[in-house]
Amino acid sequence: MSDLVDKLQRLSLIDLKEEEKERIGRDVQKILQFFNKINELDLSNVEPLFHPISQGKLRKDVAQSSLTQGEALSNVKRKENGFIVGPSTYGD
Amino acid sequence: MPKIGLEVHVHLNTLKTKLFCSCSSDYINKDPNTNTCPVCLGLPGAIPVLNEKALTYAIMVALALNCEIAPALVFSRKHYFYPDMSKNYQISQYDGPGSMAVAKSGVLEITNKKIRIRRINIEEDPAKIIYPTGSMLTSKYTLLDYNRSGIGLLEIVTEPDIESPKEAREFLEKLRSILEHLGVCNCDMEGAMRADVNVSVEGGERVEVKNVGSIKDVENAIKYEIARQKAAIIQGLKVERETRHWDSERGISVPTRTKETDEDYRYFPDPDLPPYPISKDLIKKITAEMPELPDARVKRLVEQYGISRKEASILVMDKALADFYENTAKLYKDYKKLANLILNDYLRWLNDKNIRASESRATPEAIAKLLSLLDKGVITIKIVKEVLPEIVLKGADPDQLIKESQLTAIRDLEYLEKVVEEVIKEDKDAAEAAKNDPKVINFLVGKVMKRTGKRADPQLTNELIRKKLGV
């Protein structure tokens, strides 16, 4: 279980303290057990269903107006000359 | 032999809108973040809806690359954290439970070789990252422009069948020509074709160089990687599996992420996009409407114009060049002479300036006129070659050009005879030698040409010299 929590921590890019790891480990265990109930059913004759809706829709290739820069950036905390400021992408 | 595989990303930039929203696909040179909506900004609750034309384009490319087409279009979420993707997943395609690529198992033929296509994915482009210092390595932060976010892409993945930088180049040029003939991509546009390059040499692991921006750079990146990896192995170092970044300015690759094997994209079918069945009827309809493809066009050009297969292939490698040839051929009927001029001199000026045929300023009328003037003896082939760059690069009119520069051919016998006499008198040794050596005659012709400002008719000059020397 602690391996799984370590992996989840890494994949979600968050730092967990030891006691948090323990608590989350217990929660993850509960969630997995809950879903494992499905494994108790005999599903050998059931086709897997990946979407409740059987057919998606398409749209015509016709342009419509976009948001203004002000609207697009209205929830952005750090901006510079109309750009969104993001973290560095090099190194760890 | 090195093993090389390519993942080519092709912008579907002839679509009018993005892949999953109605924002314009025309994002270049717009102010940052002015071409977005809740879908392509990745805001919670926004629902993507696929562009109908994108599916048609993907099927066209799949057919052109001899692929098997999936029974349904299914999208998956590919999860990763990077500033260019605010919703933390890219809508892409994946082979796994309940999901598959739009097409797989194709083939593209280059000279004497078949390169297998593993699969074709439809996916969205992320936002554009700008590095304030101009370099990923030294920038303390990034600037993001979401105008490009959501632009439709095809990812075309090959098997590792490519064995040299040259083959990679040929593959990409052929692919580009196919995409241009299909009209799914204007490949001259900035960033329209990018590739991730996988290279491994004997005794080493596979190294991936990400995001290489041009065919030339792909060739260079492969050359660099083969040299770097071979050198490492000779020195007894290990070539480990890693992802590198291509620095086009310096012409080298640098390491990026260190924990490649740890990557886990947690793919799953996107619940926002239910599957869309691809019917046999739809494929049949698209097959019937497919435009002429490069291989067929090469064959037709050979038959229709009597040019060689090699000549036809070079023309067709750049669709605009083949179009230009055919449009000029409507006006000028010596097809071989025309092919000769376009493939040798015309193309040389394009290559010299590093531009493609679509950027040439010459009109078919101008080239047809130029060759007619040559046929009528008004100008010499030397003059044709001399004025060509003005026509190609500046769109000059041949009549005007020749009139202004007084470049008409000299066919005035009396005058030419006088010049020939002078030249022979001045260089008696050469004249003597020329009696036994045709090469020296050419040397004398050259002298006459020089003295007349290249306006002497070379054929006529040659005859006059021979007559004068009695050979």
Side-chain angles (χ1 to χ4, degrees), chain B residues 155-441:
Chain B
E155 184 187 68
I156 300 167
V157 184
T158 74
E159 297 290 347
D161 292 345
I162 298 166
E163 289 171 313
S164 69
K166 193 169 155 277
E167 278 183 11
R169 182 190 183 88
E170 199 189 331
F171 173 87
L172 289 169
E173 284 177 344
K174 178 100 183 253
L175 179 64
R176 178 174 67 185
S177 176
I178 290 172
L179 297 167
E180 287 179 340
H181 279 82
L182 292 173
V184 303
C185 177
N186 175 359
C187 298
D188 293 336
M189 275 168 78
E190 170 201 319
M193 239 177 129
R194 286 173 287 163
D196 297 344
V197 184
N198 287 287
V199 183
S200 64
V201 300
E202 220 157 292
E205 295 280 322
R206 174 167 72 87
V207 172
E208 181 172 24
V209 185
K210 285 267 187 201
N211 212 8
V212 189
S214 69
I215 295 181
K216 188 96 207 101
D217 268 349
V218 168
E219 207 180 1
N220 290 336
I222 294 172
K223 274 185 201 159
Y224 179 84
E225 271 306 305
I226 291 174
R228 187 186 67 82
Q229 292 177 27
K230 276 187 175 165
I233 286 171
I234 288 168
Q235 288 167 34
L237 300 168
K238 266 192 182 165
V239 176
E240 287 183 341
R241 191 164 165 178
E242 65 166 334
T243 302
R244 298 174 74 88
H245 168 81
W246 177 247
D247 186 331
S248 176
E249 291 285 309
R250 291 190 289 165
I252 60 169
S253 70
V254 291
T256 45
R257 296 174 199 149
T258 43
K259 297 167 192 158
E260 165 74 17
T261 46
D262 275 351
E263 261 183 39
D264 181 344
Y265 292 124
R266 289 155 292 147
Y267 283 100
F268 65 77
D270 192 323
D272 286 342
L273 288 154
Y276 186 86
I278 303 174
S279 69
K280 290 253 169 7
D281 283 349
L282 179 64
I283 297 172
K284 214 187 268 174
K285 181 172 170 280
I286 294 170
T287 307
E289 290 166 5
M290 285 281 275
E292 185 182 41
L293 290 170
D295 285 345
R297 192 173 192 187
V298 167
K299 207 164 160 258
R300 180 175 61 77
L301 292 187
V302 169
E303 284 163 13
Q304 189 173 340
Y305 300 105
I307 57 177
S308 74
R309 206 187 140 71
K310 195 179 169 210
E311 289 170 325
S313 299
I314 300 171
L315 288 172
V316 171
M317 264 322 164
D318 185 344
K319 178 176 180 286
L321 190 68
D323 290 348
F324 186 80
Y325 175 78
E326 291 210 79
N327 287 332
T328 312
K330 285 178 194 153
L331 308 168
Y332 181 79
K333 299 299 169 192
D334 190 341
Y335 303 136
K336 283 187 187 174
K337 196 184 272 180
L338 174 61
N340 206 350
L341 183 79
I342 288 187
L343 292 173
N344 294 318
D345 304 290
Y346 188 89
L347 201 53
R348 187 171 74 83
W349 287 109
L350 296 183
N351 292 340
D352 191 57
K353 296 287 168 201
N354 204 14
I355 58 175
R356 299 192 70 213
S358 58
E359 295 164 272
S360 163
R361 304 273 309 272
T363 60
E365 288 77 15
I367 297 299
K369 201 187 283 171
L370 189 67
L371 285 171
S372 301
L373 288 171
L374 173 68
D375 290 347
K376 284 181 199 143
V378 178
I379 52 174
T380 64
I381 185 70
K382 288 243 178 208
I383 292 168
V384 169
K385 290 181 188 216
E386 195 165 303
V387 297
L388 197 61
E390 289 287 307
I391 296 172
V392 174
L393 305 174
K394 293 181 185 157
D397 171 57
D399 277 340
Q400 190 83 13
L401 209 60
I402 284 156
K403 211 167 108 196
E404 276 171 12
S405 51
Q406 298 178 319
L407 282 171
T408 45
I410 299 170
R411 299 182 61 87
D412 179 341
L413 266 182
E414 218 171 288
Y415 174 70
L416 264 188
E417 270 176 348
K418 208 179 110 222
V419 179
V420 165
E421 255 170 53
E422 277 171 25
V423 166
I424 287 177
K425 206 180 278 173
E426 275 166 32
D427 202 338
K428 289 206 178 79
D429 292 346
E432 200 53 42
K435 288 179 183 168
N436 302 311
D437 188 350
K439 271 188 204 151
V440 186
I441 295 183

Side-chain angles (χ1 to χ4, degrees), chain B residues 58-59 61-63 67-70 93 95 100-106 117-121:
Chain B
I59 293 173
V61 174
L63 290 169
C67 291
E68 289 170 31
I69 294 167
Q93 295 193 300
D95 278 316
M100 60 204 141
V102 66
K104 61 173 185 178
S105 309
I117 307 294
R118 186 180 293 168
R119 61 179 161 79
I120 301 174
N121 283 350

Side-chain angles (χ1 to χ4, degrees), chain B residues 59-114:
Chain B
I59 293 173
M60 283 165 73
V61 174
L63 290 169
L65 298 179
N66 311 293
C67 291
E68 289 170 31
I69 294 167
L73 187 65
V74 191
F75 288 100
S76 292
R77 292 184 178 182
K78 176 184 184 178
H79 296 83
Y80 64 88
F81 294 103
Y82 212 63
D84 63 3
M85 193 60 92
S86 55
K87 60 188 187 297
N88 294 337
Y89 62 85
Q90 178 190 31
I91 304 177
S92 180
Q93 295 193 300
Y94 181 65
D95 278 316
S99 55
M100 60 204 141
V102 66
K104 61 173 185 178
S105 309
V107 65
L108 188 151
E109 208 170 330
I110 59 172
T111 313
N112 302 325
K113 190 162 181 178
K114 286 180 171 154

Side-chain angles (χ1 to χ4, degrees), chain A residues 71-83:
Chain A
E71 286 167 336
L73 301 182
S74 58
N75 290 317
V76 175
K77 286 202 186 97
R78 290 183 63 203
K79 44 197 147 187
E80 188 177 304
N81 302 323
F83 291 98

Side-chain angles (χ1 to χ4, degrees), chain A residues 51 59 61 69 82 84 86-87, chain B residues 17-18 32-33 50 142 144 270:
Chain A
H51 284 276
R59 111 192 120 68
D61 185 28
Q69 191 184 68
I84 301 163
Chain B
T17 64
K18 292 183 178 181
N33 298 304
L50 181 72
T142 48
L144 303 159
D270 192 323

